[in-house]
Amino acid sequence: MKLAGKTDVGRVRQDNQDDYRAGELPGDAAWALVCDGMGGARGGREASQCACSVIERCFQEQYSQCIPGEEETFLKKALLSANRYVFQKALREESLAGMGTTAVCALVRGGKAYLSHAGDSRAYLYRDGKLAQLTHDHSYVQELVDCGTITQEQAEHHPQKNIITRALGVDYRLEPEFTTVALQAGDVLLLCTDGLTNAVPTEQLEQLLRSGSFYDLPDVLIRTANENGGPDNITALLVGVEPMEVRHG
């Protein structure tokens, strides 16, 4: 398993409210997490960092008890723990009222990727030169697409694209979404914030992923987003599934 990630403030914002974490796990497994904070400069930064720290601690302290078949329960519990922590912190500190964060978290093991998320930060599968979106945006605009009010093309430029309908920390209740996908050798998972996907079209992302070497890709993706205007914070985190002969040879 290979991991590579980077975050950048972009060309417009004053503060970076994104955060990410990742790590290797026993048994040739790995985990990855991307968060995009909201609620003012301090609130957004605090929310994303706190959520990342809580979820990272869940992997450090509780992953050893996550037996096969319990991946969904484990991931959702980690996101719910982060939700509760951020929500309670916002209640205690007036200056942080209303803060929250998106989260997309992946656990990769046993030939599968297990994903849980809340918000519009995304996970993609890159395979054979093509990107497939694995997560479903929790956003007002996505709801308009789902009910047929607007097209996917219209959604790309909708003025209310930034309104999200689910996030960590804004309510004591949260329903994280879960999905899973079988992996093949050579696959790459891309976890990212909307600062990347809003600035770099899918076709350009595919071209960049085809042409770059794995460990250079976060730099390449972020540089391209900034060249395209960099209107928001940008985070790109990649998990590479290596062929058996590379892993053991």
Side-chain angles (χ1 to χ4, degrees):
M1 214 72 71
K2 300 183 291 186
L3 298 166
K6 187 175 182 180
T7 187
D8 187 81
V9 69
R11 297 181 62 181
V12 175
R13 308 277 187 181
Q14 296 298 309
D15 300 282
N16 192 350
Q17 299 175 42
D18 288 1
D19 200 2
Y20 74 95
R21 309 284 168 90
E24 295 182 355
L25 296 165
D28 195 37
W31 70 280
L33 169 68
V34 164
C35 290
D36 180 355
M38 59 191 188
R42 180 169 172 245
R45 192 167 60 247
E46 191 80 18
S48 63
Q49 290 176 356
C50 286
C52 279
S53 295
V54 170
I55 294 169
E56 182 174 36
R57 195 156 58 243
C58 288
F59 275 95
Q60 291 170 343
E61 297 176 359
Q62 299 166 28
Y63 175 73
S64 60
Q65 298 152 32
C66 179
I67 62 174
E70 293 192 355
E71 293 86 0
E72 179 175 1
T73 300
F74 174 82
L75 285 175
K76 286 186 173 180
K77 185 178 176 183
L79 265 65
L80 289 170
S81 295
N83 178 67
R84 188 165 55 248
Y85 184 93
V86 175
F87 180 72
Q88 291 174 345
K89 190 176 181 69
L91 285 179
R92 288 194 308 271
E93 299 185 39
E94 191 176 335
S95 63
L96 299 176
M99 72 174 177
T101 181
T102 69
V104 55
C105 186
L107 167 59
V108 181
R109 72 177 188 183
K112 288 186 176 180
Y114 303 91
L115 298 151
S116 190
H117 80 288
D120 63 354
S121 294
R122 294 177 178 175
Y124 290 87
L125 174 65
Y126 177 72
R127 176 185 292 166
D128 298 330
K130 290 293 183 181
L131 269 180
Q133 186 175 331
L134 301 175
T135 51
H136 189 75
D137 290 354
H138 300 139
S139 68
Y140 171 66
V141 167
Q142 185 61 52
E143 289 182 356
L144 294 179
V145 173
D146 292 344
C147 67
T149 304
I150 63 172
T151 66
Q152 192 64 57
E153 291 70 29
Q154 289 171 321
E156 295 302 320
H157 308 287
H158 198 282
Q160 293 169 299
K161 193 174 179 181
N162 63 329
I163 299 175
I164 62 173
T165 55
R166 212 179 301 186
L168 275 64
V170 297
D171 194 314
Y172 70 93
R173 297 160 300 186
L174 177 70
E175 290 184 26
E177 192 169 333
F178 177 81
T179 189
T180 183
V181 63
L183 297 175
Q184 303 173 5
D187 284 350
V188 174
L189 283 179
L190 168 63
L191 275 61
C192 60
T193 57
D194 63 348
L196 178 67
T197 50
N198 286 343
V200 186
T202 300
E203 298 77 15
Q204 192 174 15
L205 285 174
E206 290 173 342
Q207 181 184 357
L208 295 169
L209 290 165
R210 276 195 294 268
S211 57
S213 66
F214 181 84
Y215 291 105
D216 293 334
L217 283 171
D219 278 314
V220 170
L221 295 174
I222 284 173
R223 183 169 65 246
T224 304
N226 279 323
E227 288 170 354
N228 291 356
D232 201 351
N233 306 147
I234 314 152
T235 301
L237 176 56
L238 295 104
V239 183
V241 182
E242 296 182 277
M244 292 295 285
E245 61 268 21
V246 173
R247 224 162 45 215
H248 300 297

